[in-house]
């Protein structure tokens, strides 16, 4: 008889590992880790806690590999402008958009910013997200970028969500500073701040944001500093940055609504993770990109919420899975892979999270449904019943 912390029995597991799908199995957890996976219920473990999943679907914790979770205020008011036909760029030009969130985040008291973000973290956990990447980029000046990093790191320490910090100093150009001066800050002090505080750097290359040339300068310097790269590209137009980032072996390229054929080939060559963000298409009422060619080419396609107050104020990964299946050519299994093991790859954590595997961190969801198709079908509903993070039942 071996003693352990937690056993989950009668679990319909989709492991995303070599264990495949187990219709009725047992999961054994000790010291924050998965120590055994058993097909059936024959074993010799004795546990302090036993959860009977009663045949419910059990999954790896979801990984949200692209969010802007830390910001102050709401921009739900922009919805009415959009419904009147105003574009995302027009709203931004009128002082809304990212600039509105920048003003709110700059003036927010650090404690309030933490509390607002913590509420969102709890919403992530309720919907099964156990790890989230979080970007800066609502500061666009040193003190607020630093304040955002402080919140991202404090959430990692004090909440049950594991957070991964990305420096998005080049989100847009600040309203109140000369662009050349800001770019100079980004290339020097900004990248030093990133080296100190972040696992990744990111830049938003698109109309109304950074040009291809500025993006090239920033990514080159970041790479020379040894930083891992991500990119926001092709959301509104393809300016060539998806191909550029892939050629520079970026870890992920995100959005990808508009991608030139040569950029697609570059992604495939590089092994860069393509990250699709269907919540933006939903909320901006734009055409959904077709992910089928990426999936058919065997790329490690990921999905994320892109949670942010302007283009996707939703933190629900199950909703993104449903959108991806209904509108973007994913099968349900591909959507699951895209929010677990492939999303883990997009944040360099595929060795530790993203699948149910012996030795991996025990980040587990017990749903209230029997099958994966139920998750896709119940769009807008939350199929998550219990969440386990690092072996702890939340
Ligand atoms: O990924 N498009 C650029 N950045 C975010 C939106 C940020 C915002 O509108 O606040 C995005 O969609
Ligand atoms: Fe984004």
């Amino acid at each position: 008889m071996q003693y352990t912390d937690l056993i989950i029995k009668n679990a319909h597991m989709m492991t995303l590992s070599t264990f495949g799908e187990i219709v009725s199995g047992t999961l054994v957890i000790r010291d924050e880790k998965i120590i055994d996976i058993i097909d059936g219920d024959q074993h010799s473990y004795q546990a302090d806690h036993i959860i009977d999943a009663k045949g419910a679907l059990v999954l790896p914790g979801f990984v949200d590999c692209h969010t802007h979770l830390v910001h102050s205020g709401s921009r739900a008011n922009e919805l009415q402008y959009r419904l009147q036909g105003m574009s995302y760029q027009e709203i931004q030009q009128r002082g809304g958009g990212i600039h509105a969130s920048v003003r709110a985040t700059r003036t927010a008291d650090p404690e309030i910013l933490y509390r607002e973000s913590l509420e969102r973290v709890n919403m992530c956990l309720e919907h099964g997200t156990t790890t989230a990447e979080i970007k800066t980029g609502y500061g666009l000046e040193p003190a607020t970028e630093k304040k955002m990093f402080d919140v991202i790191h404090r959430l990692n320490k004090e909440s049950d969500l594991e957070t991964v910090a990305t420096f998005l100093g080049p989100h847009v150009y600040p309203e109140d500073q000369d662009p050349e001066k800001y770019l100079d800050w980004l290339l020097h002090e900004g990248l030093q701040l990133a080296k100190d505080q972040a696992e990744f750097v990111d830049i938003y290359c698109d109309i109304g944001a950074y040009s291809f040339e500025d993006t090239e300068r920033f990514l080159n310097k970041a790479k020379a500093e040894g930083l891992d790269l991500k990119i926001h590209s092709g959301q509104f137009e393809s300016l060539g940055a998806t191909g550029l980032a892939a050629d520079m072996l970026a870890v992920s390229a995100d959005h990808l609504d508009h991608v030139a054929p040569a950029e697609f080939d570059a992604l495939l060559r590089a092994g860069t993770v393509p990250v699709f963000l269907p919540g933006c298409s939903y909320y901006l009422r734009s055409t959904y990109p077709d992910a089928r060619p990426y999936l058919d080419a065997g790329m490690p396609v990921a999905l994320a919420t892109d949670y942010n107050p302007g283009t996707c104020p939703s933190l629900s990964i199950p909703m993104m899975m449903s959108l991806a299946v209904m509108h973007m050519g994913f099968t349900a299994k591909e959507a699951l892979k895209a929010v677990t093991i492939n999303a883990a790859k997009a944040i360099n954590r595929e060795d530790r999270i993203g699948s149910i595997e012996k030795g991996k961190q025990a980040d587990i969801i017990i749903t209230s449904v029997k099958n994966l198709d139920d998750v896709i079908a119940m769009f807008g509903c939350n199929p998550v019943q219990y969440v386990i993070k690092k072996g702890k039942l939340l």
Side-chain angles (χ1 to χ4, degrees):
M1 192 65 73
Q2 274 196 65
Y3 287 90
T4 191
D5 303 330
L6 175 64
I7 286 174
I8 304 169
K9 65 176 188 179
N10 298 322
H12 176 187
M13 284 182 264
M14 293 185 82
T15 65
L16 283 298
S17 69
T18 48
F19 290 89
E21 185 168 349
I22 298 174
V23 178
S24 184
T26 310
L27 194 57
V28 187
I29 293 165
R30 186 167 61 212
D31 297 332
E32 304 187 2
K33 287 196 173 152
I34 296 162
I35 60 158
D36 212 347
I37 301 160
I38 298 139
D39 193 348
D41 55 5
Q42 297 300 307
H43 60 81
S44 58
Y45 293 98
Q46 200 168 23
D48 295 338
H49 300 285
I50 298 172
I51 301 175
D52 186 351
K54 297 186 179 138
L57 186 67
V58 172
L59 303 171
F62 296 139
V63 178
D64 196 345
C65 65
H66 180 144
T67 85
H68 306 252
L69 181 143
V70 173
H71 65 86
S72 190
S74 156
R75 281 169 29 219
N77 65 317
E78 290 177 4
L79 184 57
Q80 56 180 307
Y81 301 128
R82 189 145 45 245
L83 294 177
Q84 287 161 21
M86 229 185 266
S87 72
Y88 179 69
Q89 287 75 17
E90 280 168 324
I91 294 170
Q92 181 167 300
Q93 275 153 19
R94 291 171 188 231
I98 294 170
H99 296 305
S101 295
V102 168
R103 288 191 294 274
T105 306
R106 283 182 180 178
T107 51
D109 174 82
E111 189 60 31
I112 304 285
L113 186 62
Y114 177 75
R115 296 277 148 207
E116 282 181 276
S117 304
L118 185 61
E119 276 184 30
R120 295 180 200 122
V121 159
N122 290 330
M123 212 178 287
C124 283
L125 291 166
E126 275 168 31
H127 289 80
T129 298
T130 47
T131 303
E133 183 258 15
I134 306 177
K135 302 172 197 296
T136 67
Y138 291 123
L140 312 183
E141 49 96 9
T144 311
E145 289 293 307
K146 177 71 174 48
K147 181 167 74 177
M148 293 185 74
F149 274 129
D150 289 345
V151 172
I152 297 169
H153 296 313
R154 186 174 162 199
L155 290 170
N156 190 53
K157 253 203 203 141
E158 297 180 17
S159 83
D160 289 307
L161 184 74
E162 184 171 339
T163 70
V164 177
T166 294
F167 178 62
L168 180 61
H171 198 180
V172 289
Y173 277 110
E175 288 178 301
D176 57 350
Q177 206 188 351
D178 172 54
E180 267 311 308
K181 252 192 161 163
Y182 185 63
L183 188 60
D184 192 64
W185 178 79
L186 286 172
L187 293 173
H188 299 96
E189 293 86 347
L191 283 176
Q192 292 313 308
L193 179 68
K195 269 176 99 166
D196 197 39
Q197 302 276 334
E199 287 186 45
F200 299 96
V201 298
D202 194 345
I203 178 164
Y204 176 29
C205 180
D206 216 315
I207 50 165
Y210 286 78
S211 66
F212 179 87
E213 289 70 27
D214 291 350
T215 302
E216 196 172 26
R217 277 177 78 188
F218 179 76
L219 291 182
N220 270 320
K221 186 82 194 305
K223 195 166 173 72
E225 295 285 351
L227 285 153
D228 280 333
L229 312 181
K230 286 180 168 285
I231 185 125
H232 277 73
S233 58
Q235 183 179 17
F236 298 101
E237 282 180 23
S238 161
L239 303 185
T242 302
L244 171 75
D247 287 340
M248 296 179 75
L249 302 181
V251 176
S252 77
D254 304 29
H255 277 297
L256 310 180
D257 298 74
H258 304 273
V259 176
E263 296 187 294
F264 178 92
D265 295 342
L267 287 172
L268 188 58
R269 257 196 321 272
T272 297
V273 178
V275 181
F276 289 99
L277 308 167
C280 295
S281 306
Y282 175 87
Y283 196 62
L284 294 179
R285 306 210 293 179
S286 55
T287 310
Y288 291 85
D290 181 12
R292 204 61 247 160
Y294 299 77
L295 293 159
D296 287 342
M299 290 194 215
V301 178
L303 282 167
T305 61
D306 192 19
Y307 168 84
N308 72 78
T311 67
C312 182
S314 169
L315 285 157
S316 169
I317 286 284
M319 182 69 191
M320 302 307 138
M321 292 168 71
S322 194
L323 291 175
V325 170
M326 301 311 286
H327 295 290
M328 294 170 66
F330 284 76
T331 65
K333 275 189 184 166
E334 286 165 343
L336 176 63
K337 202 172 172 194
V339 298
T340 53
I341 192 68
N342 288 354
K345 190 169 162 58
I347 51 169
N348 285 342
R349 273 169 170 67
E350 71 272 29
D351 292 339
R352 190 152 62 74
I353 57 172
S355 63
I356 299 178
E357 212 165 336
K358 280 187 210 175
K360 272 200 168 177
Q361 195 165 289
D363 293 2
I364 306 288
I365 300 168
I366 304 174
T367 70
S368 55
V369 299
K370 297 277 189 256
N371 294 296
L372 187 61
D373 282 342
D374 293 310
V375 175
I376 306 302
M378 287 171 64
F379 66 95
C381 298
N382 186 6
V384 176
Q385 188 175 194
Y386 295 110
V387 176
I388 292 151
K389 179 65 185 176
K390 291 187 182 164
K392 181 177 130 192
L393 179 65
L394 307 185

